[in-house]
Amino acid sequence: MRCAPSSAPSENVHLLGRGGAFAVMQLAKGVMANFRIALIQLHVSAAKTENLNRACGLVRSAAQQGAKLVVLPECFNSPYGTKYFPDYAEKIPGESTQKLSEIAKECGVYLIGGSIPEEDAGKLYNTCTGFGPDGAMITKYRKIHLFDINVPGKIRFQESETLSPGATLSVIDTPYCKIGLGICYDLRFAELAQIYTQKGCQLLVYPGAFNLTTGPAHWELLQRGRAVDNQVYVATASPARDEKASYVAWGHSTVVNPWGEVIAKAGTEETVIYADIDLKKLAEVRQQIPILSQKRSDLYAVESKFA
């Protein structure tokens, strides 16, 4: 039984133009201009099975509220921490991704499965998988920028003590728009967002777990910066805050529109937040301030080594 009726757009057309005029023209032809995204701010415990079951229950709730795209947080099946990654790591496909596949198909939604610790050929990765409404895995993205920081007196964290970095980018092509994926620390690297925009993405999704030092300082600031610089929607899904955890997440899952406005934001508790992605709004912003067509490619460029 499906969680909610799933309606497909009348045309599988994407707003791929650099400028707003092309985007407006495509909207006039009848492309679906709106769809609902749901961000699940999950309370993550030490019990993997409990995390998976609760996540699936919240995906069902999101689908029943009309979400077409559902996003889980970083490290949603495991406590976040280098000491936990080896014990919770799985192969892909594996237990967690099987559950994600099943719930995406049951609910008929696109599901971005936050991230899980992945084991492959003796190495560990922080990996995000995405699933289509038919349950098929449509992407696997390994975090490319590892979270290695040292703020004296506040926080030191070294993902590279246990994790290896990924080496490819990930663009998800849906009937609604193209989506670029990053994980947490990837948000700090403006070039990644620029490359995704060059590839036609209109929504950037970052499952993330900023902490009580970096969260209040940079979480929203970085999201608004990526949104304004690239005239895209930006969505971030964080775990809920657990003051008893060894790593305390900031929470505040957020959606920012291409004008840099926060249009949905969670608090710190477990919750699901929703936002309507309005591609007409995106087209209007790009038409009014056409920075994407005004870039001086004769003087500078950001290039990807990933085809």
Side-chain angles (χ1 to χ4, degrees):
M1 184 176 68
R2 297 175 74 84
C3 297
S6 177
S7 58
S10 58
E11 296 183 49
N12 187 8
V13 180
H14 304 294
L15 311 183
L16 303 180
R18 284 194 164 198
F22 179 83
V24 170
M25 179 181 70
Q26 294 301 315
L27 286 171
K29 291 181 178 179
V31 66
M32 180 177 284
N34 295 80
F35 67 96
R36 176 163 288 190
I37 183 174
L39 307 182
I40 294 176
Q41 186 162 286
L42 184 72
H43 173 76
V44 179
S45 73
K48 180 187 287 188
T49 299
E50 179 184 332
N51 294 331
L52 293 174
N53 290 339
R54 196 163 59 256
C56 288
L58 291 172
V59 172
R60 290 188 186 95
S61 296
Q64 290 165 1
Q65 294 300 315
K68 302 299 183 185
L69 171 66
V70 183
V71 184
L72 289 166
E74 181 181 23
C75 215
F76 83 93
N77 70 343
S78 156
Y80 182 77
T82 54
K83 67 181 180 180
Y84 299 108
F85 296 149
D87 292 336
Y88 284 80
E90 301 178 15
K91 297 282 189 181
I92 294 178
E95 177 188 2
S96 296
T97 52
Q98 180 61 32
K99 293 284 284 187
L100 295 180
S101 171
E102 291 170 358
I103 195 63
K105 183 176 182 179
E106 175 188 332
C107 295
V109 296
Y110 284 90
L111 176 60
I112 296 176
S115 78
I116 65 170
E118 177 200 5
E119 190 277 321
D120 182 40
K123 293 184 177 181
L124 300 180
Y125 301 91
N126 190 341
T127 302
C128 176
T129 52
F131 298 85
D134 60 355
M137 188 167 73
I138 54 178
T139 195
K140 184 173 79 170
Y141 171 79
R142 291 168 170 168
K143 188 175 187 178
I144 62 176
H145 299 102
L146 296 184
F147 182 51
D148 286 2
I149 70 165
N150 184 11
V151 182
K154 293 186 178 180
I155 183 172
R156 180 187 181 277
F157 200 96
Q158 303 286 311
E159 274 190 328
S160 63
E161 290 176 350
T162 54
L163 299 180
S164 295
T168 60
L169 311 188
S170 179
V171 174
I172 301 175
D173 201 350
T174 78
Y176 311 111
C177 71
K178 287 189 175 184
I179 302 167
L181 283 185
I183 299 175
C184 199
Y185 198 52
D186 290 330
L187 180 61
R188 291 186 178 272
F189 297 86
E191 296 86 352
L192 180 60
Q194 292 173 42
I195 289 166
Y196 278 142
T197 303
Q198 291 171 9
K199 292 180 177 293
C201 295
Q202 296 147 309
L203 169 63
L204 306 182
V205 173
Y206 299 89
F210 275 40
N211 52 72
L212 299 189
T213 297
T214 61
H218 302 144
W219 177 246
E220 183 178 310
L221 174 66
L222 286 166
Q223 294 172 64
R224 297 180 69 185
R226 299 293 85 83
V228 170
D229 283 351
N230 299 285
Q231 298 175 321
V232 294
Y233 281 89
V234 174
T236 57
S238 169
R241 189 178 302 178
D242 180 358
E243 300 284 357
K244 298 178 181 178
S246 58
Y247 180 96
V248 182
W250 174 239
H252 298 293
S253 301
T254 304
V255 182
V256 180
N257 71 16
W259 195 253
E261 298 168 320
V262 175
I263 58 173
K265 186 174 183 179
T268 61
E269 71 288 348
E270 180 173 284
T271 188
V272 182
I273 63 168
Y274 302 88
D276 291 322
I277 303 300
D278 184 352
L279 299 182
K280 185 173 183 293
K281 169 75 172 179
L282 180 147
E284 289 172 350
V285 169
R286 291 186 176 184
Q287 187 176 43
Q288 292 163 4
I289 307 177
I291 59 172
L292 299 182
S293 63
Q294 293 172 334
K295 288 182 180 290
R296 289 293 304 274
S297 57
D298 57 323
L299 300 178
Y300 57 84
V302 175
E303 297 180 352
S304 170
K305 295 182 179 180
F306 173 70

